[in-house]
Amino acid sequence: MLSIGKIIVHKKHGICKISNLLQIADQDYYQIVPSFDESMSIFVPVNKEHELLREVLTKSEADDLISYMRDIGDDLIEDTKERRDVFQKKFLSGDLKDLAYICRKLFLLKKAKEETNTKFCLTDSTMFEKANNMLLDELSIAYNIDRSLIFDYVSKLIRE
């Protein structure tokens, strides 16, 4: 059982802190608070812990993830609907590599759109913001770097 105060990752909400352990209708729950909104509470059944929660990435795992991101090709999914469906499925998987994939591909797409003075659509922008925030929040913890500095740090690591 996880302890109160522990920082963990929720599959769909990102970095969270366990604020309480409680029992509701004869079932044990973790009450967790997401880092992006400390006024929000999420209740996770203890028996679903391994399905919905995981440990925060270690520095070594973060290094491996950055290596993975370097190797992601620069090919893009041109069809907006297909891209949305592929990225939504990857986002909901809760897999960190899928999140990194989304971030890298949408970063490259955004850059390409800027170079051609075309619009980065709202669907892509929203997905990029959600995935990027979740990934960078976790990387800032893994690398022990302030959240405001992590984007530049990660960008530099990917370019190396």
Side-chain angles (χ1 to χ4, degrees), residues 19-65:
S19 65
N20 203 357
L21 297 169
L22 35 105
Q23 195 172 61
I24 302 171
D26 294 328
Q27 187 168 353
D28 293 326
Y29 285 84
Y30 295 111
Q31 180 179 5
I32 63 174
V33 177
S35 64
F36 65 86
D37 183 356
E38 293 184 6
S39 67
M40 181 179 174
S41 282
I42 301 165
F43 297 90
V44 177
V46 170
N47 65 357
K48 300 278 185 183
E49 171 185 332
H50 298 294
E51 292 174 40
L52 299 172
L53 306 176
R54 65 174 172 77
E55 295 285 329
V56 176
L57 198 64
T58 65
K59 183 183 180 306
S60 175
E61 291 168 333
D63 290 341
D64 291 344
L65 189 65

Side-chain angles (χ1 to χ4, degrees), residues 7-10 13-16 33-37 54 56-57 62 65 96 99 103 129-151 154:
I7 304 296
I8 47 89
V9 180
H10 186 283
H13 297 284
I15 298 294
C16 295
V33 177
S35 64
F36 65 86
D37 183 356
R54 65 174 172 77
V56 176
L57 198 64
L65 189 65
L96 204 51
L99 207 58
C103 290
E129 185 178 333
K130 286 182 354 185
N132 199 44
N133 283 337
M134 284 180 72
L135 181 65
L136 292 177
D137 283 349
E138 191 162 355
L139 288 172
S140 72
I141 292 172
Y143 285 121
N144 196 26
I145 294 176
D146 187 83
R147 177 61 172 85
S148 64
L149 304 173
I150 195 67
F151 179 82
V154 169

Side-chain angles (χ1 to χ4, degrees), residues 107 150-160:
F107 175 81
I150 195 67
F151 179 82
D152 290 337
Y153 182 78
V154 169
S155 295
K156 181 181 172 194
L157 289 176
I158 291 172
R159 287 191 305 267
E160 290 179 347

Side-chain angles (χ1 to χ4, degrees), residues 92-104:
L92 293 174
S93 78
D95 184 276
L96 204 51
K97 282 189 173 182
D98 284 346
L99 207 58
Y101 179 89
I102 294 167
C103 290
R104 184 74 177 140

Side-chain angles (χ1 to χ4, degrees), residues 113-139:
K113 295 283 187 183
E114 288 169 354
E115 289 171 0
T116 59
N117 269 345
T118 53
K119 250 184 162 176
F120 189 55
C121 77
L122 181 60
T123 302
D124 290 334
S125 179
T126 301
M127 176 59 72
F128 181 63
E129 185 178 333
K130 286 182 354 185
N132 199 44
N133 283 337
M134 284 180 72
L135 181 65
L136 292 177
D137 283 349
E138 191 162 355
L139 288 172

